[in-house]
Every structure is written in C-alpha cells, then in structure tokens.
C-alpha cells in the first residue's frame, strides 16, 4: 500500500471524470451500521482501518503487547551530526555547486577506520559510512563528497576555520526537529454533517469527557508555563481550560472545540476554527454512529484525521473503534492499525494514539504543499549558513567578505598582514600606510640626524606623511613676485602642517609664513643631498638656504590669499637650520 502511494500520481481529473461517491446524506438514509469515515464525493483521500467487527467476544479486542512501544517517526538524518560528529574530531567544508547550489560537508574518520560523510544540499541531507578498506587510496575532500552524491561538480571545498561553526551547523540540521505539537479535537454528535454543526457544539457528553482524560490532563490556561500551542495564557481570550500532555520528551497541546470560546451569532465560529483550522492533524470523536467526511471542514492546513468512535454495548470496559484518513499526497504513517481496529481504554491505547498523531504530522510535512514550503525554507537557511561560515572563516584569515588577498581594500587587515607590512619594505600596504599610523616603512626607519635616502618626486610631488609627523615642508620664495625655483614650476598656495614638539624646538619662529613657490615641496623633494642643483631656495639677500629642517612649528599660520598683502610689507621668510650629514666620498 505504501509503495502504491509513493508511485507517480495519475494526471488530475475534473469532476466530470469521477464516479462520485455517495454523499453522507445518502448513506444516512440507508440502514446502519455506518462506517466511521466516508470519502468525499470526488475522492482525494485514503482511509486506513475499515474493519471494526470483532470475530470473538466483543470484550476481547486485540491489544498491543505490554512493554512494547510504537516507533516514533521523524527526520532521523537531522540527528546524525549531534550523535556522530558534535564533540568529536571532525572537519567541515563549504562550496558552491552550479547545479546543486550551496553545499556544507562534514566528515569524520573514526577509530574503526570508517569515514562518516554528511553532505547538506538545498534539497536534502545525505549520509554515508564508507570503510577505508574499500578504497584504493585515501580520497581528497571532493572525492569523499562524490562518494555520497555523484552529481557534485565542484573543483574544491573550502575548509571551515570558525571555532564555533559546529553550533551553526547543528542549528541548521535540527531546525526540522520539534518537541512541540498541537492537534485539534472535534466533537461530532449524532447527525452532525456540516462544519457549522461541528463547531457549534458547546456541551460535552460524559463519553467525550472520558476520552479527553485518555488524551492528557486538563490544565488551566492562565499562567500556564508549558507549551501553549498558540492559546492565550494571560488574558483568557482562548478559554480558561485545555488538555495538555507530556509524551516521550514532547509537549502536546490539544485545541478542543468545546473548550475554545463560543461566539453567539457567528455561524462559522471563527474563534474556534482559527485554531483547529490551522492545525495539520485533528482527532474527531464520535459519540454515536455518524460518518465523518474529511471535506466537512474547509481548511488549507488540515491534512489528516484520526476518527475515534465509542463502541456501544461493551460490558467489560470501554472500547474504541479507530479509523484514519489523510489526503492522497500524504504518505502512509505508522503504527499500523490492527485488524479489527478496536482498542480497549488504557495506557497502551493512549501511547498508540499519541504516536499515531505525531507520526501523522511528520508524514503531512511530506505532502506537496508542505514539502515545497520546507524546501524553500531549507534553501534559504542553507544559503545563510554557507555565507556565515564563509565570512567567519575569511575573518579568521584577516580577509574581507569579498577579498581573496588582504590588500584588496576590503575589510581591515589581520594582525599578521599588518605586522608583515611593517617588515617588508616593498609591500603595497607598507607604502600606503600601516595599521599603526606610520606613513611608510622607509620613513618609519629614518634615524634622526641622518639624511633620508635620495628619492626624486613625480611631476606633482609627493605628499606622504613622515614618521616624525611632517606632512610637507615647502620652500620659501624670494618674494611675492620673486623668481621661481630652479625647475621653473609654480605652486599652489598652501600652508605647511605643524606639530608641537618643544623638546626639539631650537628657537621660536615668526607666526606668519610665506607660500611655497615650488610644486616639489614634500618630504621626499626636500630631503636631497646638499649641492644637488634645483633643490635650494634663495632668500632676498641672494644667499642659499636649505629647504629642509626638522625644527617643528608651534602653530598653523593663517593663509593669506594672493593680492591681500600690503605692497610695502616685507615678505617674511622661513629660517631653517639643518644638521649637515657626514660627507660620503662614494656618493
């Protein structure tokens, strides 16, 4: 039966192509007993548990063997990482496949010489255990991934270097697991065949109250601390009481139709339907023999129903007949119903029923509607995980999010890149500026009293800052209209940057400074050897003065626009004193 439901469904038919099933009113017009469930007139559902005739005494239905537990279904692949990888030595990788999308790969080599491989794609998670003895040689990471999925088409996997990556991967793997469930409980009285009648019931029969005690315990919603399943536990807007159960480390809250608020004059009873109609699985309890049709309740979420009917006339204990129905795209879920599907009231029946409900919800997630929603959610979460692992790993290497090298101008460099830029004179970062504020490696290694290395500036001059804090030192012109420097170039009006350094100041300088008459007026242009032509400025008296000094200024001089100086005002000049370096015969 399960294999038939997994087969490719036939093309969809229109209502004219179906031979309609009899309606519930036609069935009720016949002689009973009636089945617990009727298929809708145009199908779309399957039914399990149609035989409820006891072959022997009605007081002796087949019951589960005491001590046996029905198996809870679920996504067991989501638990593999916690069970086999977390807390053990393993390796994580990430990559991007053009067809499969984002990939996150985990591998572990255990003491039994087995490779545990766990590959996550946007469609599913694949797991395999491969003995090393079956391989001719130890494979690389790409070859290991292809052992799990042959469709992989990547050149390499990138290692995950983030120390807390296991937490991120575990959160992704277990996002499909849940320990909280909510199920609807609908009370169907004799003769009720519509949604309005089902949700309009306000009274509970003794049989229905007894069945609620089988499901769980009654709890007061106000200030309830457990899983509330969307019910109001503060203001009482969803009723004052409900049924709650703690089963196998899972919390279950039941939305009981008769305990949800009833609104006078509202035929649809939206306060009740908005909870039960948004559940995925619901229980229908029948006092007497009235069939339930799945399309009685219009809902886009309800995909499975477990119908329980009280067996009338039982002389030794309470007996329940059970049938299950679900939409055609919902796969079969266990545990299977016995034949006949009749249970005696007791803890075995409670465990069977709760297990059936939980497995029904897991099976409904594989229906077409929920499967597409889960696939989109998984793809988005996997992309987020991939980007997070990539960003964290690159940050550990000092790389920016889009950088392959640390000097591409992305994020701030790491410690090793900053340290290396100070030691390697030819590095690009060392020439631009280091992380600790030095202008360049060459300038940072200048010795006071020594002449810097000879370096001819470009056409526009150099304006790199030096290690002693002087941005640019300019030459003093001969006068407002005096001759230009020897190279004949004109300069723009600018004032030199000043720094306070009273320990090195030899004598105070006048607060007003002249403008530069040379474009080659930076640290590199001024630091030439004495005697080199074109590197001296002349004073009005005609004497040569050096254009470089290590004497700092105390304050920034105000800049005077051209043409604003009084005609008779003498042009101030910069008095500069430079210690002559020792003469090198080889230069």
């Amino acid at each position: 039966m399960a294999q038939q439901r997994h087969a490719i469904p036939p093309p969809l038919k229109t209502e004219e192509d179906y031979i309609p099933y009899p309606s519930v009113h036609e069935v009720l017009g016949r002689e009973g007993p009636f089945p617990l469930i009727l298929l809708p007139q145009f199908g779309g559902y399957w039914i399990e548990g149609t035989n409820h005739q006891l072959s022997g005494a009605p007081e002796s239905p087949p019951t589960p063997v005491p001590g046996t537990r029905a198996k809870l279904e679920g996504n067991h692949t989501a638990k593999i990482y916690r069970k086999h990888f977390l807390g053990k030595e393993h390796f994580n990788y990430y990559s991007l496949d053009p067809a499969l999308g984002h990939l996150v790969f985990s591998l572990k080599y255990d003491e039994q010489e087995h490779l545990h491989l766990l590959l996550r794609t946007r469609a599913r998670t694949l797991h395999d255990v491969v003995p090393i003895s079956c391989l001719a040689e130890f494979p690389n990471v790409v070859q290991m991934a292809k052992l799990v999925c042959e469709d992989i088409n990547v050149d390499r996997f990138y290692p995950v270097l983030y120390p807390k990556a296991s937490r991120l991967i575990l959160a992704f793997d277990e996002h499909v697991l849940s320990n909280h469930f909510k199920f609807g409980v609908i009370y169907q009285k004799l003769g009720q065949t519509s949604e309005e009648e089902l949700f309009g019931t306000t009274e509970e029969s003794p049989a229905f109250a007894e069945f609620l005690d089988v499901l769980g315990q009654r709890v007061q919603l106000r200030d309830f601390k457990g899983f509330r399943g969307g019910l109001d536990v503060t203001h009482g807007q969803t009723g004052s009481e409900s049924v709650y159960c703690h089963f196998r480390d899972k919390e279950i809250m039941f939305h009981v139709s008769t305990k949800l608020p009833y609104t006078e004059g509202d035929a649809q009873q939206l306060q009740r339907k908005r909870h039960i109609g948004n559940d995925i699985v619901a229980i229908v309890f029948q006092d007497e023999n009235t069939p339930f049709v799945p399309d009685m309740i219009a809902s886009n979420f309800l995909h499975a129903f477990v119908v329980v009917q009280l067996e009338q006339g039982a002389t030794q204990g309470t007996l329940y007949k059970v049938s299950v129905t679900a939409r055609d795209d919902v796969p079969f879920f266990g545990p299977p119903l016995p034949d006949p599907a009749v249970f005696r009231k007791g803890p075995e029946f409670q465990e069977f029923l709760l297990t059936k409900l939980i497995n029904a919800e897991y099976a409904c997630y594989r229906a077409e509607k929920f499967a597409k929603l889960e696939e989109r959610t998984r793809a988005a979460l996997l992309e987020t995980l991939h980007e997070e692992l990539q960003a964290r790993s690159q940050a550990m290497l000092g790389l920016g999010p889009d950088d392959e090298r640390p000097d591409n101008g992305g994020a701030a460099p790491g410690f090793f890149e900053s340290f290396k830029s100070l030691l390697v004179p030819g590095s690009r970062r060392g020439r631009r500026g280091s992380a600790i504020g030095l202008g360049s490696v060459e300038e940072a290694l200048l010795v006071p009293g020594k002449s810097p290395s000879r370096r001819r500036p470009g056409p526009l001059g150099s304006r790199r800052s030096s290690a002693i804090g002087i941005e640019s030192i300019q030459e003093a012109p001969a006068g407002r209209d005096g001759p230009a420097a020897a190279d004949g170039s004109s300069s723009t009006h600018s004032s030199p940057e000043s720094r306070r350094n009273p320990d090195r100041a030899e004598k105070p300088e006048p607060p007003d400074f002249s403008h530069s008459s040379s474009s080659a007026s930076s640290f590199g242009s001024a630091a030439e050897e004495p005697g080199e032509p074109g590197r001296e400025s002349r004073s009005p008296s005609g004497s040569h003065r050096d254009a470089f000094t290590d004497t700092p200024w105390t304050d920034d001089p105000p800049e005077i626009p051209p043409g604003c100086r009084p005609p008779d005002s003498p042009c101030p000049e910069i008095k500069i004193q430079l210690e002559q370096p020792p003469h090198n015969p080889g230069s």
Side-chain angles (χ1 to χ4, degrees):
M1 183 183 297
Q3 295 178 353
Q4 294 177 356
R5 295 193 187 95
H6 286 291
I8 299 176
L12 296 177
K13 299 179 181 180
T14 62
E15 293 186 359
E16 290 77 9
D17 298 327
Y18 285 97
I19 299 177
Y21 294 101
S23 65
V24 63
H25 300 286
E26 294 178 6
V27 173
L28 289 177
R30 303 171 185 172
E31 185 179 355
F34 307 116
L36 277 67
I37 300 174
L38 287 179
L39 289 176
Q41 285 191 286
F42 300 100
Y45 286 80
W46 55 263
I47 300 177
E48 179 196 11
T50 57
N51 180 24
H52 302 97
Q53 297 295 328
L54 296 177
S55 57
E59 294 83 2
S60 302
T63 56
V65 179
T68 60
R69 303 182 68 182
K71 181 181 178 181
L72 275 176
E73 298 179 2
N75 193 334
H76 300 288
T77 307
K79 304 177 183 179
I80 292 177
Y81 188 79
R82 177 183 292 275
K83 182 177 180 181
H84 296 287
F85 290 83
L86 189 66
K88 303 177 179 63
E89 182 181 6
H90 67 283
F91 303 92
N92 297 310
Y93 301 87
Y94 63 91
S95 187
L96 181 61
D97 189 278
L100 300 178
H102 298 89
L103 305 175
V104 176
F105 184 45
S106 301
L107 65 90
K108 186 191 73 170
Y109 180 73
D110 61 14
E111 298 177 355
Q112 288 76 28
E113 296 188 351
H114 289 80
L115 283 175
H116 290 261
L117 309 176
L118 194 63
L119 179 65
R120 303 162 187 85
T121 68
R122 63 188 175 192
R124 55 179 177 168
T125 298
L126 303 173
H127 174 248
D128 199 2
V129 180
V130 181
I132 297 296
S133 58
C134 298
L135 304 175
E137 59 181 6
F138 200 86
N140 58 36
V141 179
V142 177
Q143 293 170 342
M144 292 181 189
K146 289 186 177 181
L147 293 175
V148 185
C149 180
E150 297 179 354
D151 298 331
I152 288 181
N153 183 22
V154 296
D155 296 330
R156 60 173 295 186
F157 276 84
Y158 299 90
V160 176
L161 304 178
Y162 181 49
K164 298 181 180 180
S166 295
R167 300 181 183 179
L168 302 177
I169 297 175
L170 183 66
F172 170 79
D173 283 353
E174 296 186 350
H175 81 275
V176 296
L177 302 179
S178 175
N179 292 325
H180 301 130
F181 296 88
K182 55 187 182 71
F183 303 115
V185 180
I186 303 171
Y187 177 37
Q188 182 182 15
K189 300 177 69 173
L190 179 64
Q192 292 183 342
T193 58
S194 66
E195 176 182 303
E196 290 76 11
E197 293 174 336
L198 294 177
F199 288 131
T201 303
T202 57
E203 298 177 355
E204 298 178 357
S205 67
F208 181 57
E210 183 181 2
F211 174 72
L212 293 180
D213 294 334
V214 174
L215 293 179
Q217 58 181 339
R218 301 169 187 255
V219 294
Q220 296 298 318
L221 290 179
R222 182 173 293 276
D223 298 330
F224 180 68
K225 302 302 181 184
F227 174 63
R228 59 188 183 94
L231 300 179
D232 183 16
V233 296
T234 304
H235 305 289
Q237 296 182 357
T238 56
S240 60
E241 187 183 64
S242 188
V243 178
Y244 168 84
C245 179
H246 193 273
F247 175 70
R248 294 193 190 180
D249 298 328
K250 303 181 185 299
E251 295 183 82
I252 303 174
M253 177 63 75
F254 293 95
H255 296 154
V256 184
S257 61
T258 56
K259 296 186 180 299
L260 292 172
Y262 175 81
T263 305
E264 292 286 349
D266 184 5
Q268 295 183 346
Q269 294 299 320
L270 296 179
Q271 287 293 327
R272 295 180 171 184
K273 186 178 179 180
R274 74 184 185 97
H275 290 285
I276 299 177
N278 286 323
D279 293 331
I280 299 176
V281 182
I283 302 174
V284 178
F285 180 80
Q286 300 171 343
D287 262 341
E288 301 183 50
N289 190 218
T290 300
F292 172 78
V293 185
D295 63 355
M296 281 184 180
I297 302 176
S299 172
N300 292 324
F301 290 91
L302 282 172
H303 274 57
F305 297 91
V306 178
V307 181
V308 180
Q309 186 179 107
L310 177 67
E311 174 69 22
Q312 302 290 338
T315 58
Q316 297 182 1
T318 304
L319 299 180
Y320 296 104
K321 298 184 290 186
V322 179
S323 289
V324 176
T325 182
R327 301 194 185 192
D328 281 341
D329 56 352
V330 176
F332 177 80
F333 49 89
L337 290 173
D339 189 16
V342 180
F343 294 86
R344 188 186 304 276
K345 176 186 174 182
E348 292 82 8
F349 174 59
Q350 180 196 36
E351 181 162 336
F352 178 91
L353 187 59
L354 296 179
T355 304
K356 193 74 170 177
L357 292 171
I358 294 175
N359 291 346
E361 180 159 323
Y362 279 128
C364 291
Y365 289 148
R366 296 159 62 183
E368 181 180 2
K369 179 176 182 177
F370 296 113
K372 290 182 178 180
L373 178 62
E374 165 61 21
E375 185 176 353
R376 291 196 300 267
T377 304
R378 177 185 175 88
L381 293 177
L382 183 61
E383 181 179 0
T384 302
L385 174 64
H386 181 280
E387 294 176 352
E388 186 75 9
L389 295 178
Q390 182 182 23
R392 298 282 188 175
S393 298
Q394 290 183 348
M396 293 296 296
L397 296 175
L399 298 174
D402 300 324
D403 293 347
E404 289 294 333
R405 296 180 56 186
D407 55 355
N408 283 349
F415 170 76
F416 295 104
E417 285 71 22
S418 300
F419 184 74
K420 182 173 66 175
S421 67
L422 293 178
L423 298 181
V424 182
S427 65
R428 294 173 57 191
R429 187 175 297 278
R431 296 184 179 182
R432 283 204 305 257
S434 66
I436 58 176
L438 300 182
S440 65
V441 175
E442 295 89 340
E443 296 167 355
L445 298 179
L446 289 178
V447 180
K450 297 288 185 178
S451 174
S453 60
R454 181 176 303 177
R455 180 168 50 193
R456 187 175 301 276
L460 298 179
S462 172
R463 292 195 174 273
R464 286 188 290 268
S465 60
S466 67
I468 59 176
I470 303 177
E471 179 181 359
S472 61
I473 301 178
Q474 302 171 338
E475 302 175 2
R480 184 169 59 91
D481 298 326
D487 56 1
S489 62
S490 62
S491 73
T492 56
H493 296 275
S494 63
S495 61
E497 181 182 349
S498 62
R499 298 289 185 271
R500 288 184 174 90
N501 195 348
D503 296 335
R504 300 187 58 187
E506 298 182 0
K507 55 185 177 179
E509 297 293 338
D512 190 13
F513 294 92
S514 63
H515 302 282
S516 171
S517 61
S518 172
S519 63
S521 58
S522 67
F523 179 88
S525 63
E528 300 292 342
E529 294 292 342
E532 182 178 352
R535 296 301 165 200
E536 297 176 347
S537 60
R538 296 181 177 274
S539 65
S541 60
S543 60
H544 295 280
R545 294 184 183 275
D546 293 315
F548 170 77
T549 182
D550 56 355
T551 303
W553 294 281
T554 57
D555 291 314
D556 289 334
E559 185 176 82
I560 302 177
C564 297
R565 189 184 305 276
D568 297 334
S569 174
C571 185
E573 56 185 38
I574 302 176
K575 298 180 180 180
I576 302 173
Q577 182 176 358
L578 176 67
E579 179 182 356
Q580 296 292 337
H583 180 68
N584 189 358
S587 61

